[in-house]
Amino acid sequence: MSRFSASDAAFSGFRLVRENLRAIAIWAAAMTVLSIISNVLAIQYFGRELEALMSYLSDNSNPDPEETFRLISDLTPLMLWSLPYSLVVNGVIFAALNRLVLRPQDSRFAYLRLGKQELRQAAVWVLSTLILMGVLFAGSLIAGFLGAMGGPTGAFLALLGLLGAFCVVIYLAVRLSFAPAVTFENDRITIFKSLPETKGLFWPLLGAYLLAVVMSIIVVLLIWTIVSAIGLIASGDLSATGKMLRADTSSLQAYFTPAGIVQALFSGLISILTTLIVFAPAPTIYRALKGGAPDAPTTGGW
């Protein structure tokens, strides 16, 4: 029997927003500024390539894999630059989230820092992603091998292999979901020490996480509905709604239209809200299982 309420945990992100409006507003403002700066740099140097890829994908319901790969390869320098940027930003945000939940008294700088804790959080997400991708890749190889048998039997076994790999990925993602919180608490990179903490809690954890994802989707849709309504009232142009959902990235002049500015201003808020709603349940549940206060750090990693 679980020692926490899955429904209460799923709404923990909303409670954090309500109880820490000032800190969350600072997070959203910082994320908005960083998003605008990164978008400006990306459009300045790779605007045409970005617009070519987005236009091709939006105009073709069945895009050619070779053409898609060619367009993506043109953006390789941008992706190489975006990867470390994303890791640092995510590390800062997830460390701040864990600090807010596990050490709420440490509220300096609105819980935002840039140090070892943030680098550990980035490392945890990289390692967890590699583990999950490795499992999915192995499952795909097995499914391909089974599919090579040919016939309905081979196709059926290949489908079972893919479904099995997908289920294993979900299972591991849930069982490893405490890794960021454990890492933050122990000041050491820990991945597999999340397993004993989540033992026997898979189904209530999965329920809490799924409910949180559904709520985040509803929040995003609600925000974009409101923003689109405001844009429609202000401009009287029905096409403005579509432009807000995907701004023109071919040039800075095309991007900084009213629709592009609205998208940029709300992107930071949406990013922070979805992060809190989806990922706050894990450290919140971890804290509840620990009795509301972190224990003394343990030695050793992993």
Side-chain angles (χ1 to χ4, degrees):
M1 186 173 181
S2 64
R3 291 163 285 170
F4 65 92
S5 170
S7 58
D8 288 346
F11 287 90
S12 59
F14 293 96
R15 289 195 296 272
L16 288 177
V17 173
R18 185 183 70 246
E19 297 169 0
N20 302 273
L21 284 176
R22 179 176 176 274
I24 303 307
I26 293 175
W27 295 10
M31 183 62 73
T32 299
V33 172
L34 289 175
S35 176
I36 292 175
I37 292 175
S38 63
N39 287 342
V40 167
L41 292 175
I43 293 171
Q44 177 67 29
Y45 295 103
F46 299 96
R48 293 182 179 178
E49 292 82 357
L50 280 170
E51 188 62 25
L53 175 62
M54 298 303 297
S55 298
Y56 179 76
L57 293 177
S58 61
D59 295 339
N60 294 273
S61 58
N62 188 24
D64 178 56
E66 292 186 3
E67 180 63 16
T68 302
F69 179 77
R70 185 189 68 80
L71 293 172
I72 293 177
S73 63
D74 293 337
L75 295 171
T76 300
L78 176 61
M79 290 186 288
L80 292 176
W81 173 83
S82 298
L83 181 59
Y85 163 80
S86 299
L87 288 177
V88 172
V89 171
N90 287 337
V92 170
I93 293 299
F94 285 109
L97 172 58
N98 281 284
R99 188 174 290 113
L100 176 61
V101 175
L102 300 177
R103 301 176 188 173
Q105 71 280 0
D106 189 7
S107 59
R108 291 180 299 112
F109 308 113
Y111 301 96
L112 297 173
R113 311 280 198 282
L114 182 57
K116 292 182 179 180
Q117 282 283 18
E118 287 67 28
L119 295 179
R120 292 190 193 104
Q121 291 297 313
V124 166
W125 282 101
V126 169
L127 293 172
S128 300
T129 301
L130 289 176
I131 291 171
L132 298 178
M133 289 181 61
V135 171
L136 189 60
F137 179 73
S140 300
L141 289 179
I142 294 174
F145 174 77
L146 295 174
M149 296 172 58
T153 301
F156 178 71
L157 291 176
L159 179 60
L160 286 182
L162 286 176
L163 289 176
F166 184 69
C167 291
V168 172
V169 168
I170 293 178
Y171 177 79
L172 281 178
V174 172
R175 293 296 308 277
L176 297 176
S177 60
F178 285 179
V182 177
T183 294
F184 184 88
E185 180 189 33
N186 295 334
D187 292 327
R188 292 177 182 273
I189 298 175
T190 57
I191 302 294
F192 299 112
K193 285 188 177 181
S194 172
L195 296 177
E197 300 288 350
T198 57
K199 184 178 180 181
L201 299 174
F202 172 78
W203 291 112
L205 286 174
L206 179 63
Y209 298 159
L210 287 178
L211 182 56
V213 170
V214 171
M215 295 305 301
S216 71
I217 294 173
I218 294 175
V219 168
V220 170
L221 292 177
L222 179 61
I223 292 176
W224 276 119
T225 299
I226 295 173
V227 172
S228 300
I230 295 173
L232 178 60
I233 293 173
S235 64
D237 183 7
L238 289 173
S239 63
T241 300
K243 293 177 181 178
M244 287 181 184
L245 296 177
R246 189 180 80 82
D248 190 341
T249 59
S250 59
S251 66
L252 290 176
Q253 183 178 2
Y255 178 74
F256 282 110
T257 60
I261 293 173
V262 169
Q263 183 194 48
L265 290 177
F266 279 87
S267 62
L269 175 62
I270 291 176
S271 176
I272 292 299
L273 287 180
T274 53
T275 298
L276 282 169
I277 295 171
V278 174
F279 295 103
T284 300
I285 295 170
Y286 176 77
R287 183 185 63 181
L289 296 176
K290 288 292 185 178
D295 295 336
T298 59
T299 59
W302 301 94

